[in-house]
Every structure is written in structure tokens, then in C-alpha cells.
Amino acid sequence: MGRGALPGLGLLLVACAGYEQGAQESVVRDSAGVSVVEYPQGIPTGPSWSLAAEPTVVIGEADGPEETLFSRVVAAVSGPDGALVIADGQSREIRWFDENGEHLRTVGGSGDGPGEFRHLSWVGRLNGDTIGAWDRSARRLSFFSSAGDLVASQEVGPIEATFDSPPGTFITMTPQVRGIFGDGSMLAELIIVYPNVAPGVRRDSVPLMLFDRGTEEWDRIGTILPAELFIDSESAVALPLPFGLRTQLAVADEWAVIGWGDEAGLTVIDRGGSARAVIRPNLERIRLGQDEIDADRRARIEVIAEPDRDAYRRALQAVAYPNVRPAHGRIVAGRNEFWVEAPSGSGAPESSSWLVFSDSGQYLGSLEAPGGLQITDVGDDHVVGVLTDELGVPRVVRFELRRGVF
């Protein structure tokens, strides 16, 4: 699965009615059964989608009942009946709330027993109303009903393979789960480490793996680019590059979308890793100012423990910051669509912009969300996300959604 342009076999101009002619056109090419959807003039303006001015549900407090206290929200998703399911990584608990935000049930907790977790790293909604959860340390999948009952669990065996990697590096067999399909099969990338490489910025491809629940085996279905890293000149530790490219991945029931973070655009793949659509939205990459870079350096150094601060400062000073931001931020998958966070300028904006595409790559609309809202789930008529206040208290919120029409 590559990122390069696919050879076009045919061209088709697709226009969305209701817009000024020329501004709305996308170019769709068919290449060996793969739709390549291009927006040469960039994304058109409209149709506008909107969220309600205030959330209909807010769950989370600085000081209150234990079930409303969150330390690290791993997931927040809604069920078909309007219930909310929230997973907290610190307590290793999954909590159910009704459509009004009233607590119903808590499951999980720290441990090795059925339905317990050592490291609760992924929780999400699968086919129907099943909730799936992945324990990275125990390598175990757990499945819960809409009421929170444990209905099944599955131990996941290790990856038994070796993969070529660039000189001075090696690829570990530890899967980093990026999402779970509707049938419970997991999509994961492997981790590359850099014990003996020169200092600098690296972004080397790694295997993209699928754990098939039916065969209980891991299969390599492609490759993926992880986040850009910079290599510390003294310790050879790989750290995320500030403002660096970061591959975003969102998984739906039967497909997944990968955003490479650069001008390569977005790729929709099926469960076997084959490309279904390639989208080139021609997003602008916003320039980084020196004042932003200086502020970022100061903020990163301030959170480092005092004994390590000088060494980290020297390493960070040697980092060549990029000139521009990534082309997009996070991606969230809905039922037949996905949402892409558009790039923003400096500071903490009062709102964030999102672009919505169908799973075939057609642009559906745009939306302004409250600044700081980390969207975690989208439905037909609502959005779920996490808002963190100035004291660091996370709150899960649900906003009603109004969809625009062409």
C-alpha cells in the first residue's frame, strides 16, 4: 500500500449542485478499481454543518462522585440508544451512562481476571452495540454487551516474524493497536527503534498488521509511516518531532482511513489493506513562526524533571523544526464517513475546523467545533468528545449535530 499517485485510467468531473461553477469541482479518476478523488482548487466552501451552542450532556467533575472523575480518557463513544461509554486509562475502568448522563455501571479495574485490565489502551464500539476493549499488557481482547456484561474474551498470540529495517534500526514484534474493525479484528502497526543511528529526523515505514479473529493469526497487510521522530544526539533516544508529520488512522466497521499528514492526502483501505479510495484535498500547510517555535521549546523544557533538563535542552536546541505544520490533525470515523481536523494557526484557537468526507472520498461538508474539543465519536445527529479545562479536568460532552445539505 503506497502513497504515490496511481496511474489514471479515466477522468470524471463531479460537481456538487448549489455552488458557484468551478469552485465546487472534484476530479475523480479510476485506477485499477481505486477511486482517486482530487480537489485541484482545494475544498469548496460549504455546506456548513453545525453543533448546538451548548452540550446536551456533560460528564466529569473536579470533585464529585467517583464515577464522574476521570484521569485519562481513553475513549468516549455513544451507543445506538444514546448511552455513553467512557473508558479511563488510569483506573482501567469502563463506565456506562444513560442518554442523560446518569451513571449506570462500571466494569473493569486493575487485574488479570475476566473483564479486568493491566493496560487499557483501546476501547470502541463494534458491530451493533458491542463494546470492544484491548489490554496491551495482557494481549487480550474483551467484548461487552450494551449493558456492560462481559460476553467474550480472546487471548492474542505474539507476532512470530522478522522484518527488514534500515541499518542501525530494528522492528519490534510489539503491536501498537490503532483500531478494531466491526468483527473484532485488530489493525496495528509495529514499532521501530533506533539503537545505532546518526542524530536527526527519521520517519521509516513499518509493517501494518491485522489480527484476524477467525484464524487467530497476525498477517502483514501493508506498510505505514509512523510519526516523525528526532534522534537525541547523546542518548540516541527517538522522540516525537515537534510539529512533525504524524500519520492519523481511524477504523470503521469494514474500512479504515489513513491520513499521512503531508501532501500525499488520505487513503481509504479495506480490511485486507487494499486501497478503496485515495483523496487529495489539497489542504494548505500553515507556516510556523519563530515565536511559536521558541514558545514550544520553552513549554517542553519546563515539564522535564530538573536533573534531565539541561541534557534535554541541548538535544532540543539541535532539533530542526519544520517550516510548516502538518496538513491535517486527527481523523475520526463515522458509519459511512470520516472527519478530518483541518490545520489551524498559532495559539489556542476559539474553534477548530473539521472537513467531512464519505468513505468513497466525496466531500460532504465542514464544521466549526469549540476550541479544545477533542472529538472522539460521531453519530448521525450528535458528536461526542472531551473538553479539558484550565485545571486539567477532563469532561466528556455530547453536542447535537445539524448536517448541512447540498
Side-chain angles (χ1 to χ4, degrees):
M1 182 180 60
R3 299 186 303 142
L6 300 174
L9 301 182
L11 291 178
L12 173 66
L13 286 180
V14 178
C16 301
Y19 292 102
E20 180 182 353
Q21 182 66 26
Q24 78 281 15
E25 290 174 344
S26 61
V27 178
V28 181
R29 295 188 286 117
D30 181 85
S31 178
V34 178
S35 294
V36 181
V37 186
E38 298 180 292
Y39 295 85
Q41 305 303 317
I43 298 298
T45 301
S48 294
W49 298 18
S50 62
L51 299 181
E54 299 293 335
T56 54
V57 176
V58 179
I59 305 173
E61 302 179 53
D63 184 16
E66 185 175 348
E67 62 269 14
T68 65
L69 304 180
F70 303 108
S71 298
R72 182 170 59 87
V73 177
V74 171
V77 297
S78 57
D81 57 356
L84 286 171
V85 181
I86 305 172
D88 185 78
Q90 184 73 23
S91 65
R92 302 172 180 85
E93 293 176 341
I94 307 175
R95 306 171 192 173
W96 271 255
F97 298 83
D98 68 15
E99 67 275 14
N100 299 313
E102 297 296 324
H103 179 251
L104 298 173
R105 186 173 185 181
T106 295
V107 303
S110 180
D112 291 313
E116 295 178 334
F117 306 98
R118 289 192 224 160
H119 187 155
L120 184 59
S121 57
W122 188 95
V123 174
R125 185 181 60 249
L126 308 181
N127 279 339
D129 54 6
T130 300
I131 297 296
W134 168 244
D135 185 328
R136 186 170 72 181
S137 295
R139 292 207 311 269
R140 181 170 60 195
L141 272 166
S142 299
F143 302 94
F144 298 88
S145 71
S146 60
D149 297 319
L150 179 67
V151 295
S153 64
Q154 184 171 12
E155 302 291 333
V156 177
I159 297 174
E160 298 179 352
T162 57
F163 301 100
D164 294 332
S165 62
T169 75
F170 69 90
I171 294 174
T172 74
M173 296 301 102
T174 302
Q176 181 177 344
V177 172
R178 300 294 300 268
I180 302 183
F181 291 102
D183 65 354
S185 298
M186 296 191 303
L187 196 61
E189 67 181 56
L190 298 185
I191 299 172
I192 187 169
V193 295
Y194 297 89
N196 188 25
V197 297
V201 175
R202 301 288 297 246
R203 197 186 192 201
D204 300 292
S205 62
V206 296
L208 183 65
M209 307 294 294
L210 177 77
F211 176 78
D212 189 311
R213 284 197 68 206
T215 63
E216 298 189 0
E217 294 181 351
W218 286 99
D219 293 313
R220 179 176 181 171
I221 63 171
T223 59
I224 193 170
L225 289 169
E228 278 188 303
L229 304 172
F230 74 89
I231 310 300
D232 187 329
S233 59
E234 294 186 1
S235 63
V237 172
L239 301 172
L241 176 67
F243 300 103
L245 297 177
R246 186 179 300 272
T247 299
Q248 305 290 339
L249 191 154
V251 180
D253 277 350
E254 298 181 353
W255 52 271
V257 58
I258 303 172
W260 306 102
D262 58 13
E263 292 82 356
L266 309 141
T267 304
V268 179
I269 63 172
D270 62 22
R271 187 175 167 276
S274 298
R276 290 175 33 171
V278 175
I279 305 100
R280 305 199 188 284
N282 195 24
L283 296 177
E284 177 187 4
R285 295 188 65 181
I286 297 175
R287 193 162 192 83
L288 270 174
Q290 187 59 48
D291 55 341
E292 297 176 80
I293 294 174
D294 294 341
D296 182 80
R297 279 198 174 104
R298 289 193 299 270
R300 292 174 183 273
I301 291 169
E302 286 174 0
V303 299
I304 300 298
E306 188 63 43
D308 303 320
R309 189 170 294 178
D310 286 343
Y312 185 79
R313 180 185 291 108
R314 288 193 297 271
L316 196 58
Q317 286 297 331
V319 173
Y321 274 62
N323 295 321
V324 290
R325 295 171 181 269
H328 61 80
R330 300 177 62 251
I331 301 176
V332 181
R335 185 171 54 181
N336 298 307
E337 69 198 27
F338 59 90
W339 293 38
V340 179
E341 188 177 23
S344 61
S346 61
E350 295 182 356
S351 64
S352 60
S353 300
W354 291 78
L355 305 173
V356 187
F357 298 87
S358 72
D359 59 344
S360 62
Q362 289 302 314
Y363 171 70
L364 301 178
S366 63
L367 177 138
E368 296 293 316
L373 176 64
Q374 180 184 353
I375 295 177
T376 58
D377 188 38
V378 295
D380 292 338
D381 59 2
H382 66 273
V383 166
V384 177
V386 180
L387 277 171
T388 303
D389 66 19
E390 62 277 3
L391 299 177
V393 177
R395 292 179 171 87
V396 174
V397 295
R398 183 174 66 209
F399 286 90
E400 298 305 311
L401 168 66
R402 184 183 69 81
R403 293 169 175 262
V405 294
F406 282 108

